[in-house]
Amino acid sequence: MLRQRVVTAIAVIVPVFLLIAFAPSGVVAGFVLLVVALGAFEWARLGRFATKGTRAAFAVLVLAVPASLLLAWGGAGWTEMHAWVLWLGVVWWGLVFVGLPTYRPGLGAGTWGRWLLRGAAFPTLAPAALALVWLHASAPMLVIYLLLLVAAADTGAFVVGRRFGRSKLAPDISPGKTREGLLGTLAATVPVALVGAWGFGLLAMDALVFVLLGIVVALVSVAGDLQESVLKREAGAKDSGALLPGHGGILDRVDSLTAAAPVFAAGLLWTALFPQGGG
């Protein structure tokens, strides 16, 4: 299993990083929309749409939101129209943070709860997709940095939680996650954020803001992971899919990123750390 995970990771990570680093923004946008479509299809399965046809229709509906906005706004940069979608994502993840502690198993048993879980796909996937496209248009290295930051946060939580984890973080959602693991997230995030601040050539005060933003983004990424855990728990599924051998599905790999991307992009917009990109 470990060998399969490593082989799959290399086969996916290398092409994705090369795509982000060297492909034009239009190609990257197409790739992001493909990921959204695949993730939405998996979401439909977890949302208990019975047939492949209804799952595909749901995926198209979810995909239509970021696709139509990208077509309508074209290659424009950080305009006010873009900003409100990013802030919608921030508000959504604020609501998720408030709602997660109140979760109890069985949410999806009723009609209202089931449609709430299904509808969550829209504010989760659309702002994340648009944030990634705009970050790439601004500077491809911002996307690569974000991916490394989220990966470090996940790895830190896993390693520290497995070695020192005692106190459950959200036992009703994901029994394996611990408060100690959350500290591991912070421990792994700070060095990556510091290296990022140095790599982007930020001065002292801007670097401090950038590191603090990285910490916030890493903590928010945990909410993305937990939200998907709720979906899988309600569906009685271990993984969101089987597209990536040894890793599960698309959502299993991008769950943290869906929360991190809009918060990171909105944070950069708010702090004005980088010029507003476009084109």
Side-chain angles (χ1 to χ4, degrees), residues 145-187:
Y145 164 77
L146 179 61
L147 293 176
L148 293 175
L149 185 75
V150 171
D154 288 344
T155 302
F158 176 78
V159 172
V160 174
R162 188 168 186 176
R163 177 65 179 85
F164 302 105
R166 297 293 183 272
S167 305
K168 303 297 183 183
L169 178 64
D172 287 331
I173 300 175
S174 182
K177 287 184 172 53
T178 63
R179 295 176 183 176
E180 292 81 4
L182 194 61
L183 295 177
T185 292
L186 297 178

Side-chain angles (χ1 to χ4, degrees), residues 45-119:
R45 185 181 75 87
L46 296 176
R48 298 183 182 180
F49 283 102
T51 67
K52 289 185 178 180
T54 55
R55 295 172 190 172
F58 179 80
V60 170
L61 194 60
V62 173
L63 177 64
V65 177
S68 60
L69 291 176
L70 284 173
L71 287 173
W73 296 341
W78 298 97
T79 65
E80 291 184 3
M81 289 187 295
H82 296 152
W84 76 261
V85 180
L86 298 181
W87 289 113
L88 172 64
V90 173
V91 170
W92 169 250
W93 289 109
L95 293 174
V96 171
F97 254 117
V98 173
L100 283 173
T102 68
Y103 167 77
R104 295 296 180 271
L107 173 64
T111 301
W112 181 87
R114 186 162 57 250
W115 279 103
L116 174 64
L117 292 174
R118 292 170 174 174

Side-chain angles (χ1 to χ4, degrees), residues 31 36 105 127 190 197:
F31 174 73
V36 168
V190 172

